[in-house]
Amino acid sequence: MLRIVVCVSGGGTNLQAIMDAERQGRITNTEMIAVISNNAKAKALERAAARNIPGIVMSPKGYPDREAFNAAFTEKMRELAPDLIVLAGFLVRIPPQMVAEFSNRIVNIHPSLIPSFCGVGYYGLKVHEKVLERGVKVTGATVHFVNEGMDEGPIIAQKAVYVEEGDTPETLQRRVMEQAEWVLLPKAIDDIANGRIAVRDGRAVSC
């Protein structure tokens, strides 16, 4: 049974997609043991509470500096001892020591087709604003393992979504979530939980 901790900052739609997939049997061999948010008012915490999943608030703002937060955050994760950490719209950079300690056990969902529209400054609605500004015709989402870089870890899966005439950042964001994020992330978790995905030579491969 794969023990999972989900980290999220906002509404928790990807968290909900994971919980729905677990309930429907599309994710098997998992147990969500906690949800961590840097935002005490995040709707994601309400979603977790509705399923009797412990919610934990940890924000860099609650510590004297980032080093203190990184140490506390890493220690909390050690206490929870998850087999997999899922970043589902988590707007806090993962501490380097956590990345090292949980190597190949942290996955992230990003709302673009990496390597496009990713890296520092590309998160949430900002990604879709930049997609529309650039005038690209196809965007999408990517699930990847987390390494020391920003959105640079081994890619697990990607799904394309067409940009439509008249799209706003909000309508495009919603379509990318519905058609890509909510599909890719549950499947990736299920694949990892059931031994169908692994990292070899810096690449995510099917087993």
Side-chain angles (χ1 to χ4, degrees), residues 67-153:
E67 184 177 346
F69 167 77
N70 285 351
F73 190 25
T74 303
E75 181 57 34
K76 174 56 68 176
M77 206 61 80
R78 287 192 191 107
E79 292 174 10
L80 293 169
D83 301 303
L84 184 69
I85 301 167
V86 179
L87 310 182
F90 191 53
L91 304 183
V92 177
R93 186 154 190 171
I94 302 303
Q97 59 264 47
M98 187 185 296
V99 173
E101 190 162 332
F102 291 88
S103 178
N104 299 330
R105 288 188 286 158
I106 309 174
V107 299
N108 179 54
I109 180 79
H110 183 76
S112 77
L113 296 175
I114 292 174
S116 298
F117 304 103
C118 66
V120 177
Y122 285 93
Y123 61 90
L125 205 61
K126 294 180 182 295
V127 174
H128 307 292
E129 290 171 351
K130 294 298 184 181
V131 165
L132 293 176
E133 285 176 15
R134 185 64 183 86
V136 301
K137 306 304 179 185
V138 179
T139 183
T142 303
V143 180
H144 65 93
F145 285 103
V146 173
N147 64 6
E148 304 80 14
M150 183 67 75
D151 300 327
E152 295 178 1

